[in-house]
Amino acid sequence: MKKLNNFIDGKSLPAKSGATSEIINPATGTAYATAPVSGAADVDSALSVASKAFIEWRETTPAERQRALNKIADALEARSDELIAIEVENTGKPISLTTSEEVPPMLDQIRFFAGAARNLEGKSAGEYMRGMTSFIRREPIGVCAQVTPWNYPMMMAVWKWAPAIAAGNTVVLKPSDTTPASTVFMAEVMSEFLPSGVFNVICGDRETGRALVEHKTPAMVSITGSVRAGIEVAKSAATELKRVHLELGGKAPVVVFDDANLETAAENIAITGYFNAGQDCTAATRVIVQESVYAKFVELLAAQAKNNIATGSPDEDVLYGALNNADQLARVSGFVDRTPAHAKIVAGGKKIDRAGYFFAPTVIADLRQDDEMIQNEIFGPVITVQKFKDEAEAVAMANGVAYGLASSVWTSNHGRAMRMAKAFDFGCVWINTHIPIVAEMPHGGFKRSGYGKDLSSYGFEDYTRIKHVMTNLNA
């Protein structure tokens, strides 16, 4: 059994209580490591260290922080084989796709925020009152408490710590209790280029996360997770009026009009719906098709699931691997088992009989707007299909959920695409594509998908505060 530790003040440390939990490889369903279950004393220690480190780190220049982040990116790139092996063992993901689809953008995102550190924006200084000059200071916030999910452990960690550290903050980050391994590894690599205490990792369970976000020290709390967790964080942060950044669930509508290239749309929607086993808040899993081509499109999606989409072990040539944990497998299975009588499972619909937490690529047609699979996040390899008559109904169905993270529209009509982009109540709208993300553009949602932006200059600015300075020219 491997032994993971917390990383606090530049040191690898167990929980003060000695408590640990087993870490499971989802591809085998067996334990391969232990990780600390940190308590209040560990949280206190990490936040105290981060608070002390902030005194000096906030004084670094943007150029110094840029150099540090670029060195981190270079070091992670040089050790990417190790990082991939650690991530794959902890998540059960395919090695090939982790190598091609996660590591390159993750490194690019670190380098983007390294550059963002030197591009602070604000209003032009000027005399907005006679005899007085005003200007803006953009400053770091302080200690940031961050919580990351299990679906993209290493990438979501980067989305948290890279903008925070680039802006001059210090960080205490708690990874998911099922996937701490790659974050701990990153902390060890990063320690060569950052002063002790700037980046700290504490492992643990839900109570560890609660102790972290409720603590008085953090000036900001940022979480990527469930709606339930986001609501709890927002409530606890309210008592101290902490700044809060929430990237929560999603239920992305994928609206297909009858003038779309149906074969291309079906292929792309299947890939982006099943990628990462559908464990993605932006996954293309809620498909809404115009009635005139509905039957044909259901057939195309079912054919993709049956013939072109494969799941299996990390070293196999597959699109997706295991679900992250036994509870998630049970959750996905439960949704499918409760398929209403008016709906039809046209592909998949069952667990795969092998070790690990595998579920077959599934397509369920004829669902209605009030069905639980439409209104709730399944977070698995299950694509649902509904039909609509016209644009107005398509918009109503697309927006008729509690989430507002991402969406897509498939059509050859430019005007229609622009109308849908305007009407969709989601933080991202893709046109004739789904799921690409770039570091320069913001990622974040509306409604119960949370608030605040990841990536882009908007994400960087979320980790800064604005100060107005006015000076008397006649003093």
Side-chain angles (χ1 to χ4, degrees), residues 4-7 72 75-87 106 154 161 175 179-192 199 201 203:
L4 304 176
N5 279 324
N6 294 327
F7 198 84
I72 289 169
L76 290 173
E77 187 169 32
R79 300 181 67 179
S80 60
D81 287 347
E82 294 174 75
L83 181 60
I84 291 163
I86 290 168
E87 183 82 341
M106 181 188 80
M154 62 182 181
W161 62 254
T179 55
S182 58
T183 306
V184 171
F185 175 79
M186 276 196 286
E188 294 169 354
V189 173
M190 293 164 65
S191 66
E192 182 180 348
F199 182 59
V201 176
C203 303

Side-chain angles (χ1 to χ4, degrees), residues 97-121:
L97 288 179
T98 304
T99 302
S100 64
E101 302 300 322
E102 294 196 39
V103 171
M106 181 188 80
L107 297 173
D108 179 66
Q109 289 151 9
I110 298 171
R111 291 169 175 139
F112 171 83
F113 284 117
R118 301 183 70 167
N119 190 29
L120 304 178
E121 294 186 356

Side-chain angles (χ1 to χ4, degrees), residues 104-186:
M106 181 188 80
L107 297 173
D108 179 66
Q109 289 151 9
I110 298 171
R111 291 169 175 139
F112 171 83
F113 284 117
R118 301 183 70 167
N119 190 29
L120 304 178
E121 294 186 356
K123 296 291 185 182
S124 174
E127 289 68 52
Y128 300 98
M129 179 181 290
R130 287 182 180 271
M132 303 287 181
T133 295
S134 291
F135 63 92
I136 292 296
R137 288 182 55 86
R138 187 176 289 279
E139 301 177 339
I141 296 171
V143 177
C144 298
Q146 301 179 326
V147 180
T148 52
W150 45 251
N151 58 335
Y152 294 103
M154 62 182 181
M155 186 180 290
M156 293 299 99
V158 165
W159 286 22
K160 298 298 182 193
W161 62 254
I165 291 174
N169 303 287
T170 57
V171 170
V172 177
L173 188 152
K174 191 199 88 67
S176 168
D177 56 346
T178 66
T179 55
S182 58
T183 306
V184 171
F185 175 79
M186 276 196 286

